Amino acid sequence: MGNKQTTFTEEQLEAYQDCTYFTRKEILSLHGRYRELAPHLVPLDYTNNPDIKVPMALIVTMPELKENPFRDRIVETFSEDGQGNMSFNDFVDMFSALCEMAPRELKTIYAFKIYDFNRDNFICKEDLQKTLNKLTKGELTPEEVTLVCDKAIEEADLDADNKLSFSDFENMISKAPDFLSNFHVRI
Amino acid sequence: GEKEKLNMKQADMRGTKEKPETSEDGDDEEEVNNDGEVRPELLSPEELEKLKEAVDEKKKLIQSLRGKPWPMKQKLVTLRESQLFVEKYEGALGKGKGRKLYAYKVMMTKKWMKFQRDFENFKIACIPWEMKIKEIESHFGSSVASYFIFLRWMYGINMILFGLTFGLVMVPEALMGRAYGSIPRKTVPRAEEAGAMDFAVLWDFGGYAQYSVLFYGYYNNQRAIGWFKFRMPLSYFLVGVGTVAYSYMVVIRTMARNANESGIGDDNSFNFSWKMFTSWDYLIGNPETADNKFASITTSFKEAILEEQESRKDDNIHLTRFLRVLANFLVLCCLAGSGYLIYFVVRRSQKFALDGLENHSWWERNEVNMVMSLLGMFCPMLFDVISTLENYHPRVALQWQLGRIFALFLGNLYTFIIALMDAINLKRKEEKVVKYNITMWEATLYNGTGSENSTAPPITIHPADVPRGPCWETMVGQEFVRLIISDTMTTYITLLIGDFLRAVLVRFLNHCWCWDLEAGFPSYSEFDVSGNVLGLIFNQGMIWMGAFYAPCLPALNLLRLHVSMYLQCWAVMCCNVPQERVFKASGSNNFYMAMLLVILFLSTLPAIYTIVTIPPSFDCGPFSGKNRMFDVIQETLESDFPAWFSKVFSYASNPGLVLPFILLMVLAIYYLQSTSKSYKEANVELKKKLQMVIQRLDNF
């Protein structure tokens, strides 16, 4: 393995390979991508686990995320402090959960967290409205928005509490044919 | 237990950093001395068993860490703890009887896991074209990119097929078989020698190309060649069977994998929810595509709202039904017409062949291939026009269109094969005549020397002068190669004219044209995913059909796929615009896989039929002189294996044994199907129970 990289120790690389779906080479290239977001902030040498966080404003400029209407929510969900400032651990975690090899169950859990805007563990009407407005860029009239949100809750809400719990969401997503292919970011 | 896992899931949802409950039951009962050391000699067998279980559970936890929805820091900490636990107690468990074996097993497992990980890393690093596909994904979304991913997967399969045919068939014959020109079947006949090197002849795969390892006819029927006695005919036969078996295995394995992941498609009960949560394509990275996607999502919502509000007015259902029946009738006429046209053209080309090919123009010589390619190009457009009569939902219309194109290609291919069978029968009749002529010719050589007089010196004849028997297998191989080449050329030319030239014209003529060419007609073309995928599937079908008679076909296809990848990637980035409305043919990826499986089955049928029923040519190929091609297996069993083996085999092929075996397999399939059905039902029950339990917990 004559790679003379000094960014990580071998134990760190093995640990990352155990905890994510990435190979050694991909983890090193991810570190390169993380660093190029803020080269003065992120050190080259990660062997002593420096506690550096890159702010959200820089992360959402990545080409993979910048066109995504949910980029803010994605970054917030995976960041440890919930504000969107990501350490390298969070960064790797995010792309591992969104990669092609992540299983359906894992993606469902994170999708639920992303679409839960107010973080109360339920997708309520306001969350649905926010999702819809982000998706259509405000092109629908308020009546249409209300209609769509009501229909969505009517379809998926099984326990009749007028909001979607995780089990409702999971039940609905498990049968969706496009979910796996669309909820996927290639890095 | 289940309650534990439920707790964990709840904890996950709340985002708390709860550590998983480690089943450290063993700890309570261990004899721990002052500094925490465990002395397993003091443990009873049950406690030892519990400790082993704990270690195994920790190992399982490590394996499944990737899929846990915990923050990375928590995962790393858990990993470290679990690894320490396993290291500490695994070594300790090994004390006592059989400890050396246990320690050895542990070390081998570690080494094996490390090897597996390195191999996985290496395999992933070898995947080609990753950056190209990523660029296409970000510009066009996942549906267009799925075609290129499919192309790459096909390339992988063809690479294996190429490895098999090249390494086990072409190379041994080229290196260890007799050289070109040594025996009659390996030499260009004297009559054809003059034009054997002409480009036109070589392009048609005649001349030197025909008498080479590329085609069936070159191979010698010597049982073992070379210094290490390579069994050439056996290898040829087994490679033919092996390519088909490998293809089946790969397609079915991929289908099984896809079936696990995908949900049940076309269920309309979650229409709005799905549109809300699964319509955005996270792969998009291009602003223009993103704008397109926003627009299409908005349109899709508006349409769905309209459908929801309006009651479906089924006015004039009789007119619709009549139009649909009319449309299907027209399509059937088209299909019948194209089938007849191909048959007619193939018979005409046989007539031309009898007259001698030099007397005809280029068009007449290549008529069959050109007609087939042109039909494949224009009929789908015709079907598209006819389908406007039917007034279906776009997704349903797409499925009808694909079904019709599938029927068209299949009909054309099978008509072609039937016409080819006629040509084969013709050649076999010719064989009898030639055999007679050869005996006459040999008699004139040994001009009255008498059959018993063996002291006369053998007259040496140059192999090119020996009269040759007809070789229907090489002819079949040549036909397929020509078909594939003309198909490839047609595809590329259509691409260049239909996409590239159109884009150039729209771009540059727009300045001086009366209406906006970019917005109205003709504008830039969209990438036709389903048409291209179908083309790829049928191309592969032709390879499977012809690979037995022309070992060069997988190599040719590999080259073709390689060029296609680069050409189409360039064309799509340069000349195409993202699709406005995206309709996939079906929910799961298994639609195209199922088509591939059907084509695989249908393409191997003709080859199997010819192998089993038609005797091989007497004068060419590795099976010449045998009664049937599969006799080579019988021959190998008799001569290369010990006597008891062939006896066992003859017992095994006794119908009295084979029929009960088949019956047993059918029963096994029925049993497995019924158990899988009961598992599915049990699954649904458990899910319902889980939901009820979660609801009850939520209500607290």
Side-chain angles (χ1 to χ4, degrees):
Chain A
M1 270 210 273
N3 294 343
K4 299 187 240 356
Q5 56 87 21
T6 51
T7 319
F8 294 107
T9 64
E10 284 307 314
E11 289 88 44
Q12 281 177 315
L13 278 177
E14 289 286 324
Y16 277 129
Q17 284 184 74
D18 276 325
C19 295
T20 66
Y21 292 97
F22 289 125
T23 63
R24 189 193 142 88
K25 191 167 131 192
E26 286 164 344
I27 292 172
L28 291 169
S29 100
L30 268 172
H31 182 260
R33 295 295 303 273
Y34 185 65
R35 188 148 188 270
E36 73 185 31
L37 292 171
H40 47 279
L41 198 58
V42 176
L44 195 55
D45 187 352
Y46 250 74
T47 48
N48 49 355
N49 284 322
D51 188 20
I52 306 283
K53 289 196 189 318
V54 173
M56 175 152 88
L58 289 175
I59 299 188
V60 296
T61 61
M62 286 184 76
E64 287 85 355
L65 291 178
K66 74 171 161 48
E67 296 300 329
N68 196 321
F70 302 109
R71 55 186 176 271
D72 296 339
R73 276 301 303 150
I74 297 174
V75 175
E76 278 170 16
T77 306
F78 284 97
S79 67
E80 214 176 304
D81 59 2
Q83 301 298 317
N85 304 311
M86 295 187 107
S87 66
F88 181 66
N89 281 340
D90 301 330
F91 190 76
V92 171
D93 204 18
M94 172 168 75
F95 285 109
S96 169
L98 290 171
C99 83
E100 199 171 10
M101 285 167 292
R104 197 182 196 105
E105 300 77 34
L106 190 66
K107 287 193 173 176
T108 310
I109 293 175
Y110 279 116
F112 183 77
K113 288 194 192 175
I114 288 173
Y115 294 123
D116 181 12
F117 281 76
N118 52 7
R119 290 181 237 184
D120 60 352
N121 275 325
F122 288 100
I123 296 184
C124 55
K125 247 219 202 127
E126 290 74 41
D127 296 331
L128 285 172
Q129 281 173 349
K130 286 206 190 108
T131 309
L132 192 58
N133 282 324
K134 278 202 194 283
L135 270 179
T136 56
K137 273 194 172 170
E139 286 283 323
L140 295 179
T141 68
E143 298 84 40
E144 289 173 333
V145 170
T146 326
L147 177 70
V148 173
C149 295
D150 287 339
K151 282 297 299 178
I153 289 192
E154 190 187 309
E155 284 169 355
D157 190 14
L158 293 172
D159 47 14
D161 56 358
N162 235 9
K163 46 194 177 171
L164 301 183
S165 63
F166 179 70
S167 55
D168 299 332
F169 184 78
E170 188 183 22
N171 180 45
M172 179 263 295
I173 281 283
S174 66
K175 305 194 180 86
D178 294 332
F179 176 63
L180 273 181
S181 59
N182 277 349
F183 197 72
H184 163 212
V185 175
R186 194 187 291 267
I187 181 95
Chain B
E2 203 185 87
K3 192 80 190 283
E4 222 172 71
K5 290 204 177 83
L6 234 67
N7 274 336
M8 265 184 1
K9 219 171 189 182
Q10 293 263 300
D12 293 340
M13 290 308 96
R14 293 198 186 100
T16 52
K17 296 193 174 82
E18 237 179 59
K19 287 209 193 135
E21 270 185 45
T22 55
S23 49
E24 289 187 334
D25 307 319
D27 278 346
D28 306 344
E29 292 145 313
E30 283 168 1
E31 300 276 18
V32 180
N33 66 10
N34 289 339
D35 48 0
E37 268 301 311
V38 173
R39 293 210 243 120
E41 309 90 64
L42 305 172
L43 297 178
S44 65
E46 305 94 52
E47 290 158 358
L48 209 62
E49 200 49 46
K50 278 215 178 114
L51 188 59
K52 203 169 188 196
E53 263 177 40
V55 168
D56 282 338
E57 229 180 276
K58 284 287 186 204
K59 278 197 203 158
K60 255 189 251 160
L61 179 65
I62 295 178
Q63 291 291 2
S64 67
L65 256 184
R66 292 190 181 101
K68 297 256 185 262
W70 303 331
M72 181 60 94
K73 223 183 228 176
Q74 186 179 347
K75 281 197 265 193
L76 288 171
V77 163
T78 317
L79 177 71
R80 192 91 197 100
E81 278 178 12
S82 310
Q83 279 175 334
L84 283 172
F85 182 85
V86 166
E87 265 175 44
K88 188 158 141 201
Y89 291 113
E90 201 164 35
L93 273 178
K95 301 217 165 77
K97 289 193 234 172
R99 89 151 182 245
K100 277 216 180 90
L101 186 66
Y102 187 78
Y104 178 73
K105 242 192 338 177
V106 162
M107 186 196 73
M108 286 313 285
T109 324
K110 275 207 196 109
K111 277 209 172 20
W112 172 245
M113 285 182 50
K114 177 147 198 322
F115 171 74
Q116 268 187 325
R117 168 163 289 171
D118 285 343
F119 185 64
E120 278 298 318
N121 285 2
F122 172 70
K123 262 202 318 189
I124 290 188
C126 275
I127 296 179
W129 304 314
E130 189 77 356
M131 280 297 122
K132 266 204 195 331
I133 289 184
K134 183 177 166 181
E135 215 186 321
I136 293 182
E137 266 170 350
S138 99
H139 270 84
F140 291 93
S142 57
S143 66
V144 169
S146 72
Y147 165 74
F148 289 96
I149 293 176
F150 188 63
L151 181 65
R152 185 171 67 180
W153 181 76
M154 279 282 178
Y155 184 77
I157 293 184
N158 277 287
M159 181 151 282
I160 306 275
L161 295 185
F162 166 71
L164 280 176
T165 51
F166 189 71
L168 292 176
V169 170
M170 289 169 82
V171 163
E173 183 71 22
L175 292 182
M176 296 189 287
R178 308 191 58 177
Y180 172 83
S182 55
I183 46 177
R185 71 178 57 172
K186 297 201 179 202
T187 326
V188 176
R190 189 70 70 185
E192 295 174 23
E193 230 175 56
M197 206 46 180
D198 289 347
F199 181 73
V201 172
L202 283 180
W203 182 257
D204 246 357
F205 286 88
Y208 285 115
Q210 181 177 347
Y211 295 94
S212 69
V213 284
L214 298 179
F215 288 100
Y216 177 97
Y218 183 81
Y219 293 80
N220 196 11
N221 66 341
Q222 195 177 343
R223 200 173 76 83
I225 55 177
W227 53 270
F228 70 98
K229 302 279 177 232
F230 187 77
R231 308 279 191 262
M232 189 65 223
L234 181 70
S235 153
Y236 196 98
F237 189 79
L238 288 181
V239 163
V241 171
T243 50
V244 171
Y246 172 74
S247 310
Y248 267 112
M249 194 191 76
V250 157
V251 173
I252 290 182
R253 188 176 64 181
T254 313
M255 279 181 86
R257 217 181 285 159
N258 283 348
N260 283 341
E261 298 174 4
S262 74
I264 313 139
D266 292 337
D267 189 9
N268 263 328
S269 50
F270 293 113
N271 205 9
F272 282 95
S273 324
W274 285 350
K275 279 202 210 298
M276 186 103 77
F277 293 116
T278 64
S279 55
W280 180 262
D281 192 349
Y282 279 53
L283 286 165
I284 293 178
N286 181 24
E288 208 180 284
T289 317
D291 285 338
N292 239 350
K293 191 73 179 167
F294 283 124
S296 96
I297 291 179
T298 311
T299 316
S300 148
F301 270 116
K302 286 199 195 255
E303 267 180 17
I305 294 175
L306 222 60
E307 257 185 51
E308 187 66 26
Q309 286 171 336
E310 254 182 42
S311 58
R312 309 231 58 224
K313 289 181 279 182
D314 262 339
D315 56 346
N316 232 339
I317 193 172
H318 298 291
L319 182 64
T320 322
R321 265 199 215 136
F322 169 71
L323 283 175
R324 286 180 186 170
V325 167
L326 179 66
N328 279 320
F329 176 71
L330 286 174
V331 165
L332 274 172
C333 288
C334 273
L335 290 175
S338 88
Y340 178 69
L341 186 63
I342 291 180
Y343 189 76
F344 174 72
V345 165
V346 172
R347 296 311 291 269
R348 231 159 74 106
S349 84
Q350 283 165 4
K351 219 171 19 123
F352 292 156
L354 286 175
D355 294 344
L357 287 173
E358 312 77 41
N359 305 340
H360 299 278
S361 63
W362 176 87
W363 171 261
E364 280 165 343
R365 262 179 286 151
N366 288 303
E367 209 171 24
V368 179
N369 305 323
M370 294 315 299
V371 164
M372 282 187 74
S373 309
L374 286 173
L375 276 176
M377 210 163 61
F378 286 116
C379 280
M381 290 187 220
L382 199 59
F383 292 157
D384 218 357
V385 168
I386 294 178
S387 74
T388 52
L389 278 175
E390 289 179 325
N391 205 8
Y392 278 126
H393 182 267
R395 174 178 278 201
V396 177
L398 181 65
Q399 286 172 333
W400 275 96
Q401 175 79 347
L402 285 179
R404 286 174 185 147
I405 298 180
F406 187 81
L408 174 78
F409 281 168
L410 208 62
N412 289 355
L413 208 55
Y414 264 72
T415 319
F416 177 73
I417 289 171
I418 291 174
L420 219 58
M421 292 299 286
D422 281 347
I424 293 178
N425 285 334
L426 220 70
K427 279 238 150 107
R428 288 181 57 208
K429 285 202 195 87
E430 204 186 308
E431 228 182 65
K432 293 200 188 88
V433 175
V434 170
K435 260 195 187 149
Y436 176 73
N437 282 346
I438 285 185
T439 41
M440 291 279 92
W441 175 82
E442 275 180 352
T444 58
L445 271 188
Y446 294 90
N447 211 347
T449 16
S451 47
E452 306 311 310
N453 202 347
S454 50
T455 55
I459 305 173
T460 46
I461 309 273
H462 191 269
D465 293 322
V466 175
R468 304 295 318 286
C471 192
W472 62 265
E473 294 98 341
T474 304
M475 176 199 72
V476 169
Q478 279 174 319
E479 284 297 322
F480 274 109
V481 170
R482 284 190 205 128
L483 188 64
I484 288 184
I485 294 210
S486 75
D487 194 49
T488 314
M489 289 294 127
T490 319
T491 313
Y492 290 166
I493 293 179
T494 324
L495 189 76
L496 285 175
I497 297 182
D499 282 0
F500 182 63
L501 210 64
R502 175 169 158 180
V504 162
L505 283 175
V506 167
R507 180 53 110 54
F508 293 116
L509 282 185
N510 209 13
H511 301 301
C512 46
W513 205 263
C514 6
W515 72 85
D516 187 356
L517 285 173
E518 285 186 1
F521 178 82
S523 83
Y524 300 106
S525 51
E526 288 180 357
F527 187 79
D528 179 16
V529 179
S530 42
N532 272 303
V533 172
L534 263 187
L536 205 59
I537 291 178
F538 271 93
N539 176 55
Q540 192 60 36
M542 290 196 275
I543 299 290
W544 278 322
M545 244 191 252
F548 190 75
Y549 298 110
C552 63
L553 268 180
L556 209 66
N557 201 34
L558 205 65
L559 186 66
R560 174 200 205 221
L561 288 176
H562 205 102
V563 171
S564 282
M565 184 60 157
Y566 286 105
L567 191 65
Q568 285 185 307
C569 276
W570 164 78
V572 84
M573 294 298 291
C574 161
C575 328
N576 288 31
V577 287
Q579 292 163 309
E580 281 189 4
R581 303 297 307 282
V582 178
F583 285 104
K584 286 163 61 169
S586 98
S588 68
N589 292 329
N590 269 350
F591 183 72
Y592 292 122
M593 281 294 143
M595 252 196 216
L596 194 63
L597 193 66
V598 168
I599 290 286
L600 174 57
F601 178 68
L602 292 174
S603 346
T604 49
L605 276 184
I608 292 177
Y609 175 75
T610 50
I611 289 175
V612 167
T613 52
I614 306 184
S617 306
F618 75 97
D619 193 23
C620 67
F623 308 114
S624 59
K626 297 198 177 39
N627 195 21
R628 289 279 186 276
M629 289 186 194
F630 55 81
D631 283 346
V632 69
I633 303 276
Q634 189 74 9
E635 197 193 350
T636 314
L637 281 176
E638 281 167 10
S639 37
D640 288 330
F641 284 95
W644 56 265
F645 203 86
S646 62
K647 228 192 257 180
V648 167
F649 221 75
S650 68
Y651 288 154
S653 56
N654 183 3
L657 206 64
V658 169
L659 282 176
F661 183 67
I662 293 180
L663 200 64
L664 198 71
M665 284 205 295
V666 168
L667 287 175
I669 291 175
Y670 178 70
Y671 170 73
L672 286 172
Q673 184 148 348
S674 53
T675 44
S676 102
K677 222 188 288 182
S678 68
Y679 281 149
K680 269 194 208 148
E681 284 167 13
N683 221 6
V684 170
E685 284 299 319
L686 282 173
K687 262 198 187 148
K688 279 198 221 151
K689 257 197 205 163
L690 198 66
Q691 279 168 6
M692 285 198 299
V693 172
I694 290 183
Q695 273 175 303
R696 248 184 272 145
L697 289 173
D698 274 346
N699 292 341
F700 281 147

